[in-house]
Amino acid sequence: MSTPGNAMDSLSAALKCNIIPNQEYLLQGSVLDQYVEVLLHRLRGLCDNVDSGPETFHDHEICFSLRIPNSGATTSMPMSVFSLRVRRAIDVTDTPFQLRYIGQQELGDKNRPTVVRSSIDMACSSSIIEFLNELGCRIDFEYIARGYMFRKGRMKITVSKIFKMGSNKQESVEPISQSYIVELSVLAPSGQDSIGEDMRIFAEQLRPLVQLEKIDYKRLSNMM
Amino acid sequence: MQQREEKQLESALDSIIQRVNDLKQSIASMIFKIENEYESITWPTFLDNYALISGQLTSLSKVLSHDKCPVLRNLTVLPLMLSPERDEQLAQMTEHRVTTFAHDLCPDYLRTKLEPMAESKMMQLETKALGLQYDNAQKQIATYQKVISHVWDIVSKAREEWETESSSRGNTQQNSSVADTHLLVAAVGMGKGLKMGPNPNGQSNPTSGGMMVTPQGRPGGPPGQGQMPPTTQAMTMNKAPSAIKTNIKSAAQMHPYGR
């Protein structure tokens, strides 16, 4: 049996060896509802899991946030906000919940083809929501994502419709736009920047149906 | 006058010879390719070669039918001397295909009429064509035209479809909208438009840049959804977590003083 100390040691050793896939390389885009079939068709041709057809998913994602008052008296940022996402499958009941931490995104310069952000995923039981509540986390927002997942080597492509939660949690959901969000991502240990080039080439193949791009969240929040 | 015609003939012959040589070269290279690269040759390269040859044939016939070209039919080639001896000069000129200018070869090389076999076949066809009934010929032409026009219809229809498809594909803005991309990414990444109710502490949310203080409506979303009742319900549902939140918050604030 390993003691907690041992577990911490092996974790830090793994971190040092750089084998934990904790960097997410990401490109995002969208496609209008009426062209989603065309996109799915093309993805079916481009991706690995052709025989079984696209994998569908129907998930509920809740984003929790925890506010921690900063001890250092910086007036501009009185609170630091720490968010965690919990995702559960609606269509399949026996899968574990997924807890996910997503870090600040780095855009890098023009030569870098994708957004890079740290990302840590883990499976957990359904009591995670209660646990996070006990920790002081608060539901920031939640949504339903329904769509299709494709694989191409290490790359994951999701085409999903985002629904806003209605009043009556299960039943009334409404799509928030007339488009599907398309995400191309790879989880890899840090430093493997070559994958970004592969992703750029793959994204190129989906043009002009979908423009997969690096999207700057900061600029987005200023724009809208 | 005579001199001018001679000059014209010479230049015409020069250009004809040059074109025939070109043609000969490309036919030779094609034959070489077929014989030596028949395993690796691709269909497009084969067709390229073929197109080259047919282009050269066209230019040759253009030269022959040009106004400046004298009527070659009116000219005669007269063999002055035949000899069974090997002629080195001739062999060099013809790349060793013809070594002697003798009686057996001369009629073949200086032939201006078709070969007897081909000639008889042509004659047969011509008599057949002459003997054809007018009505029959007209009928055949009509059926032939019908088939051709049918094929033409099919081809032009296919082309039309192809063109509309490619033109619709060329229109990039049709397939995705930048506004929707931004809306969706902001929603998934920062919860813009997904948050329910105002913040319990009345603070703006740093992650969203303080945009989501009003409960109803999402910026950028379709207006007039009439979602007031859901929002109020959602607010009551959010009551419990918010209570916990404030509790925890005060506890967290107590910590620094405790230390």
Side-chain angles (χ1 to χ4, degrees):
Chain A
M1 222 182 87
S2 62
T3 62
N6 271 344
M8 275 308 286
D9 284 350
S10 50
L11 183 64
S12 54
L15 269 174
K16 228 174 256 169
C17 295
N18 210 7
I19 54 168
I20 300 179
N22 58 0
Q23 296 290 312
E24 187 184 38
Y25 296 78
L26 178 72
L27 287 174
Q28 290 171 308
S30 76
V31 64
L32 291 170
D33 285 353
Q34 61 263 42
Y35 295 105
V36 74
E37 281 302 322
V38 185
L39 176 67
L40 293 178
H41 202 79
R42 188 174 293 186
L43 282 171
R44 209 172 298 166
L46 288 172
C47 293
D48 292 340
N49 46 342
V50 270
D51 310 329
S52 51
E55 231 169 282
T56 59
F57 63 85
H58 187 184
D59 292 351
H60 177 197
E61 180 158 325
I62 308 172
C63 183
F64 287 91
S65 61
L66 181 64
R67 282 153 207 282
I68 306 159
N70 272 353
S71 44
T74 44
T75 42
S76 58
M77 283 278 282
M79 301 278 236
S80 63
V81 178
F82 180 77
S83 32
L84 287 168
R85 287 153 185 261
V86 176
R87 202 167 173 127
R88 72 180 176 94
I90 296 175
D91 49 348
V92 189
T93 46
D94 57 350
T95 51
F97 282 37
Q98 183 200 39
L99 178 65
R100 185 166 194 215
Y101 164 76
I102 298 176
Q104 280 294 323
Q105 60 160 355
E106 293 171 39
L107 249 81
D109 55 9
K110 269 188 181 164
N111 298 326
R112 186 185 252 172
T114 69
V115 165
V116 181
R117 59 189 191 184
S118 59
S119 162
I120 299 167
D121 285 308
M122 69 210 76
C124 50
S125 70
S126 60
S127 55
I128 184 67
I129 293 181
E130 216 171 305
F131 178 73
L132 288 176
N133 266 329
E134 291 295 323
L135 268 182
C137 296
R138 190 182 63 82
I139 294 184
D140 196 12
F141 59 89
E142 55 185 324
Y143 61 85
I144 304 274
R146 194 162 65 195
Y148 307 89
M149 199 270 283
F150 294 86
R151 273 179 289 112
K152 164 87 176 165
R154 283 199 289 178
M155 288 183 270
K156 183 174 91 171
I157 304 98
T158 57
V159 179
S160 38
K161 190 90 191 160
I162 305 298
F163 296 93
K164 187 187 167 82
M165 299 294 289
S167 56
N168 195 348
K169 287 218 166 183
Q170 255 70 45
E171 279 144 42
S172 64
V173 290
E174 47 168 329
I176 62 166
S177 82
Q178 305 299 309
S179 293
Y180 278 73
I181 182 165
V182 183
E183 291 183 298
L184 171 61
S185 67
V186 174
L187 266 183
S190 57
Q192 298 204 352
D193 288 347
S194 60
I195 187 70
E197 194 54 29
D198 294 348
M199 290 171 69
R200 190 187 62 77
I201 292 164
F202 188 83
E204 207 59 39
Q205 291 178 309
L206 293 180
R207 277 167 190 267
L209 209 51
V210 185
Q211 314 267 350
L212 287 172
E213 285 166 337
K214 297 201 293 188
I215 293 174
D216 187 354
Y217 283 19
K218 283 192 201 112
R219 227 187 49 180
L220 214 57
S221 58
N222 292 337
M223 261 167 51
M224 297 175 80
Chain B
M1 196 65 199
Q2 195 82 18
Q3 217 174 6
R4 224 187 74 192
E5 265 177 22
E6 257 174 44
K7 240 185 197 163
Q8 231 172 36
L9 176 66
E10 212 155 279
S11 72
L13 276 180
D14 271 352
S15 65
I16 290 169
I17 287 169
Q18 195 199 329
R19 284 191 170 62
V20 170
N21 267 331
D22 286 351
L23 190 61
K24 197 187 79 188
Q25 253 171 26
S26 45
I27 291 173
S29 80
M30 180 109 154
I31 290 171
F32 180 84
K33 271 201 177 118
I34 292 170
E35 280 178 350
N36 294 291
E37 298 167 23
Y38 56 89
E39 274 174 341
S40 60
I41 192 169
T42 61
W43 196 231
T45 43
F46 183 85
L47 286 180
D48 280 352
N49 272 297
Y50 191 79
L52 185 65
I53 289 173
S54 86
Q56 282 167 343
L57 274 175
T58 320
S59 78
L60 178 64
S61 58
K62 238 181 218 163
V63 169
L64 288 176
S65 63
H66 197 266
D67 296 339
K68 289 268 172 65
C69 185
V71 190
L72 295 173
R73 195 194 297 272
N74 298 345
L75 301 166
T76 36
V77 179
L78 187 66
L80 292 176
M81 190 178 74
L82 298 174
S83 121
E85 306 261 309
R86 187 181 159 89
D87 186 344
E88 278 303 322
Q89 210 185 339
L90 183 69
Q92 210 177 355
M93 267 169 67
T94 58
E95 292 167 350
H96 298 281
R97 280 191 310 265
V98 185
T99 50
T100 54
F101 196 61
H103 304 75
D104 53 341
L105 287 170
C106 180
D108 279 344
Y109 282 103
L110 300 184
R111 177 184 294 286
T112 49
K113 284 180 86 178
L114 288 173
E115 254 186 278
M117 222 166 75
E119 200 170 16
S120 66
K121 196 139 198 184
M122 280 298 277
M123 287 283 279
Q124 262 178 31
L125 288 175
E126 266 166 28
T127 47
K128 200 179 165 190
L130 282 175
L132 206 66
Q133 293 278 314
Y134 178 80
D135 286 356
N136 268 354
Q138 213 61 19
K139 225 180 265 173
Q140 273 180 11
I141 289 170
T143 28
Y144 198 59
Q145 229 153 20
K146 209 170 137 188
V147 170
I148 295 283
S149 65
H150 187 61
V151 171
W152 172 255
D153 275 358
I154 290 172
V155 170
S156 52
K157 202 174 166 190
R159 193 180 77 166
E160 211 170 87
E161 268 170 24
W162 181 71
E163 268 173 0
T164 50
E165 194 185 319
S166 63
S167 72
S168 71
R169 204 185 295 149
N171 203 343
T172 51
Q173 237 22 47
Q174 289 273 311
N175 299 326
S176 59
S177 113
V178 179
D180 272 2
T181 304
H182 290 162
L183 174 74
L184 284 164
V185 170
V188 171
M190 299 177 289
K192 186 160 289 179
L194 294 169
K195 294 177 192 187
M196 300 207 181
N199 280 329
N201 299 333
Q203 301 164 318
S204 66
N205 194 329
T207 51
S208 69
M211 298 285 293
M212 283 306 295
V213 271
T214 45
Q216 77 272 54
R218 350 181 270 268
Q225 295 165 67
Q227 55 171 195
M228 263 327 270
T231 328
T232 43
Q233 266 190 331
M235 272 167 70
T236 53
M237 274 183 343
N238 273 0
K239 273 280 150 60
S242 69
I244 289 167
K245 213 273 143 169
T246 36
N247 284 347
I248 296 296
K249 208 189 150 243
S250 56
Q253 274 171 338
M254 256 142 77
H255 260 292
Y257 296 110
R259 265 185 211 146

